[in-house]
Amino acid sequence: MTEKRARMEELVTRLNKAAKAYYQENREILSNYEYDRLYDELVRLEQETGIVWSNSPTGRVGYELLGELPKERHASPMLSLDKTKEISVLQEFLGEQKGVLSWKLDGLTIVLTYEGGALVKAVTRGNGEIGEVITNNARVFANMPVRIPFAKKLVLRGEAIITYSEFERINETIEDTDARYKNPRNLCSGSVRQLNNQITAERNVRFVAFSLVSAEGMDFDNSREAQFVWLKDEGFEVVEYEAVTKETLPEAVERYAEKAEGGDYPSDGLVLLMDDIAYGQSLGRTAKFPRDSMAFKWKDEVGVSRLKYIEWSPSRTGLINPIAVFEPVELEGTTISRASVHNLSVMESLKLGEGDEITVYKANMIIPQIAENLTGSGPAKAPDVCPVCGGRTEVRQAADVKVLYCTNPECQAKKIKGFALFSGRDALNIEGLSEATLEKFIGAGLIRDPADLFRLKEHKDVIVEMEGFGEKSYEKLAAAVEKARHTTLPRLIYGLGIANIGAANAKVLSRHFAGDLDAILAASREELAAVDGIGPVIAESAAEFFEKEENRDLIERLRREIILPEKKEETGEGALFGKQFVITGKVVSFANRNALKEAIEQAGGKVTGTVSAKTDYLINNDAASSSSKNKAARELGIPILSEEDFLRLLR
């Protein structure tokens, strides 16, 4: 009993610390997989011992909030959901009842109140008892109905989310990779709780309704599904759902699983809700969970591998990130061999050492993660010197997490990352030029700025003698460099590494100034800020960069080395000029979605992540699918094109 109690104390402390980091500080110190595993272990020990401490996470909903936003107590507690990873458990829960199956969206839960047809209040879930009032921010959500036809009091719940495509767009504008947001949920949480709602508006937060709490005087024939239909008619975006029975449930779950990986809305599972409102309410609730609904979390496909080594990856800020490199294992249809360990604290908690037997999975079927260490020989020792410059490293404490930094202010990591950006896929796209190769070239003094990459032929004799090189490798690299000389203005602008200017913004600038680099260089801050989609912050970054003499000199050296298209090819007046597209589903005629997106943009079109009234075409080879994007397109009368249809349009 003593050992069990000691373990329970340890679990309560770890889980509370992880929950506080997740709910209050918008960061993760435990993966979902590890949190669920430890939580289930605590539940089991509490059942075995009959002891539940007052601070146990199994008996509480969440944590008190921090911040300056006004707080308000919810009329009724917002409980979390009981969960399972077994379809059979879902079937047993549903029994002979009809159910409604929907996505469990991964964002920030919001409660909305309407009176007289107007939005009067929006409150975050907070700790389930008390939330933060964010009404002004909710009014600028991208799809929020601020007025609705229903004139009486309405209370509903939903999830504020930021789509993956929007998440990637925002991260593209952040030059420092370490400062980029880790996932859409963290970005959404920060966006929703801004004190300045202009920032919220710029981030295209969406509200997706998933529960009607009350609608004064309305009768929905005792059906949750009828409530969803009514909310749609009132103008709300409603979570994608499907009516199910115990018999049809397994096939429905499988359909959702097939859509999960390619979807644009972040989700960490499904929710099964009793359709019969009265029956569901009659079931009551436990201290923590309602009994009329249950969450289904994807059963992660777990593979066993062996840790080969920890790779230490320095960044442009000096932070050195540990990356686990392990024997390749196939999961969810792809082969993975690397996973971020995040920081020293995580590495120590997993006791990772070379040769350890580990289990790995893909969180939410996407991101490679280490689940468990089965042998625990470590943790491996963090390096005393930076792997790039040899400078002394230092362990620092940052928000209760140990991280490793290089202390050398002249560390070459920044140079390497800058060269890697310039030669990367979205910039000059010099194939085969890895960071390891760049490190060798920088160390040998062969390259000092990006223009030097186009003069590598002057150093052929040195390169062919380098380890890992030879005549054949050199010729292959030389051919890639020559191919990269023929590039486009957006690729060049992005490759310069200007703060806040990602690949998307580089294209916007190029299109606005008709492919004229001189016009961009001569533009004032006001002219840059006036460009649709740029704004004052990005304009300031661009102006500061172009004003510096050393940057202008670099651009002139690059212009002597590369070949840009004639300006008329960059005007954007292509066959698709002014047309807005959304892409979904698998592509066949193009290498990937990015290749299709580039073809659209080169022809003057624009690609967004969400179907709206502004969308001209949805591209999906499966026009008959029941995906949310197809449904939205059909409802709005937007043509759904196959790739073949699109190629005909392009001609």
Side-chain angles (χ1 to χ4, degrees), residues 32 47 86 178 221 240 261 312 341 357 362 420 456 469 475 624:
N32 286 341
Q47 290 172 343
E86 302 293 338
D178 297 315
D221 295 325
E240 182 182 347
E261 191 166 352
W312 298 93
V341 189
E357 189 174 13
K362 290 171 75 175
L456 288 175
F469 266 89
E475 294 297 340

Side-chain angles (χ1 to χ4, degrees), residues 468-531:
F469 266 89
E471 191 74 31
K472 188 173 181 181
S473 296
Y474 167 79
E475 294 297 340
K476 188 175 180 181
L477 177 59
V481 169
E482 289 307 308
K483 182 180 177 183
R485 286 187 192 274
H486 296 265
T487 189
T488 64
L489 184 55
R491 287 180 176 274
L492 173 62
I493 293 172
Y494 173 63
L496 292 172
I498 305 169
N500 299 315
I501 294 188
N505 288 326
K507 290 173 183 174
V508 168
L509 281 174
S510 179
R511 187 177 297 123
H512 179 85
F513 288 97
D516 189 341
L517 178 55
D518 290 318
I520 295 175
L521 294 174
S524 66
R525 281 168 169 74
E526 292 73 23
E527 289 171 321
L528 290 169
V531 176

Side-chain angles (χ1 to χ4, degrees), residues 182-221:
K182 304 304 180 189
N183 54 57
R185 183 199 177 275
N186 285 3
L187 173 58
C188 182
S189 179
S191 302
V192 166
R193 299 163 69 205
Q194 287 289 328
L195 298 179
N196 177 0
N197 69 355
Q198 181 181 352
I199 298 173
T200 307
E202 290 171 350
R203 293 179 180 175
N204 288 325
V205 178
R206 302 186 69 80
F207 176 82
V208 183
F210 62 67
S211 174
L212 191 154
V213 179
S214 62
E216 191 179 330
M218 289 296 297
D219 180 7
F220 298 102
D221 295 325

